[in-house]
Amino acid sequence: MRHMSQQALWSGRFAGGMAESTLDFTTSLETDSALAFFDVMGSLAHVRMLKKCQIIPEDDADRIIEGLKTIVAEMENGEFKLDFSLEDIHTNVEFRLTELIGPAGGKLHTGRSRNDQVATDYRMYLRESVLEIVSSIDALIDVMVKIAQDHGNTILPGFTHMQHAQPVTVAQHYLAYAFKLSRDADRFMDAYNRMNKCPLGAAALAGTTYPIDRKMTAKALGFNGPTENSLDSVSDRDFVSEIAFAASQTQIHLSGLSEELIYWSSQEFGFVEMDDKYTTGSSIMPQKKNPDITELIRGRTGSVIGTLMNMLVMQKGLPLSYNRDLQEDKKALMDSLDCLLQCVNIMCPVLSTIRFNTDRMRAAVENGFINATDLADYLVVKGIPFREAHGIVGAAVRYCIDTDKKLEDLSLEEFGKFSDCIGEDVYNCITVDMCVERRNSLGGTSSASTDEQILTVIEQKMVRYENVRQENQLLEACWNELLE
Ligand code: ARG
């Protein structure tokens, strides 16, 4: 419940104030107050431009600048009070400004509209969120690289259809996730770069009659340049969809990883044990140690994916240009990005403290005829076509099942029943270690290959690290300059 409406920015045309229920229904302040800092930065860039282009008198511009700086200081020490009778953050900032400096504050809104203002503020907000998420993803990639470095020779079963397929290493396994996450981080940066243009100056929808300098404001706010079309600038939220997708895909990767850790830590698998610090107990069963963190990561994936649908459907069928529907672009996405960030951040210590039960992995790999492909490959080297070799090994596997043996247990005589090409050298080719080491094709599971992959994924991360560092530095410099 909020109190009676103060004057809205647009009250002139209206005979009476809006109903309390209208304000309650249309307000966005609870959400867009998160844009407060960026709103003031946008205003500072705008007023400096108005001053330079001589659109408003210099002394008024200077008074506005001082007032806006005071507002930033108030925000920083928690003194800036939100007035919920005012419908959004833009109105709150402008009212406070006028309170501080008098009627000159009213000149700030020359040549702009809340439509271009909110599109600009939100892009600035999302830029910072994206940079933070990318840094966190890269920290998680670091954890995975460390696991890969420590476990280049730790062998476990590789699965397809959840069935033993071929042996792989823990290094290869976690590098798979590292590359997935590396693409996720790149996707965020791609979205960042496309989003990084400034809508300010598009005004309500059609541009403005004032001789504004949009390149100046874009530069002052750290954008790559101004957006190209005013109608497009205030009407599109495709950047929101892209970021919602990047978030969903990352969360899906974390969810798959979580699911795997959950059953890997079950009694049946026992491949890993999570550190006590990152598990929880049961109120009734004293023996329990539950993987709740990973379950919650998996569980929260629903709402992140839901946000992507939310954003897409919210935009469906919107005619040009600004429509109030677009106000719904914030809450769910902001919440989802917070959720994703938390999930990535907690996954780092969960993984870095995990204990791999290498004996259990090794024992598992000895079962399920995981070296069958290698026996077939051995026959191919002896000149047998792969398709035929496949059939020979299939028959040998069936024989082993019937006689309760493993392929490596068969004598040369037994092998002879299936093919006369099999010699003493077969045993060396079908040890689990050889199965791994001989898979040295590019991207394969051999230690030589995983060493190479480690270098590649680190390189990808370093490129991003440098981009993120430069962007953060640029934005920091912009804020400092605007507050000078
Ligand atoms: N609160 C709006 C939004 O988030 C911005 C204000 C534009 N409002 C308007 N009536 N044109 O999209």
Side-chain angles (χ1 to χ4, degrees), residues 123 195 197-200 202 214 218 225-230 232-233:
R123 287 174 196 231
M195 168 177 72
K197 287 188 177 171
C198 185
L200 196 62
R214 291 193 58 209
T227 49
E228 301 85 349
N229 176 289
S230 64
D232 177 38
S233 305

Side-chain angles (χ1 to χ4, degrees), residues 178-251:
F179 282 106
K180 290 175 200 296
L181 289 170
S182 184
R183 286 193 301 280
D184 291 333
D186 282 345
R187 247 187 295 277
F188 272 111
M189 289 311 290
D190 289 347
Y192 183 102
N193 290 325
R194 251 187 306 282
M195 168 177 72
N196 200 13
K197 287 188 177 171
C198 185
L200 196 62
L205 76 163
T208 172
T209 53
Y210 301 101
I212 59 171
D213 182 350
R214 291 193 58 209
K215 288 186 180 156
M216 178 181 166
T217 43
K219 185 157 185 276
L221 296 171
F223 287 99
N224 278 338
T227 49
E228 301 85 349
N229 176 289
S230 64
L231 288 172
D232 177 38
S233 305
V234 297
S235 64
D236 214 312
R237 295 293 185 272
D238 52 0
F239 58 96
V240 164
S241 314
E242 284 195 55
I243 291 172
F245 173 70
S248 298
Q249 188 58 69
T250 310
Q251 188 75 36

Side-chain angles (χ1 to χ4, degrees), residues 28 32 88 90 114-115 118 237 322 324 326-327 330:
S28 54
D32 63 24
D88 55 29
H90 324 295
R114 281 181 299 162
N115 296 350
V118 73
R237 295 293 185 272
Y322 179 82
R324 193 65 178 266
L326 293 173
Q327 180 172 294
K330 292 179 208 71

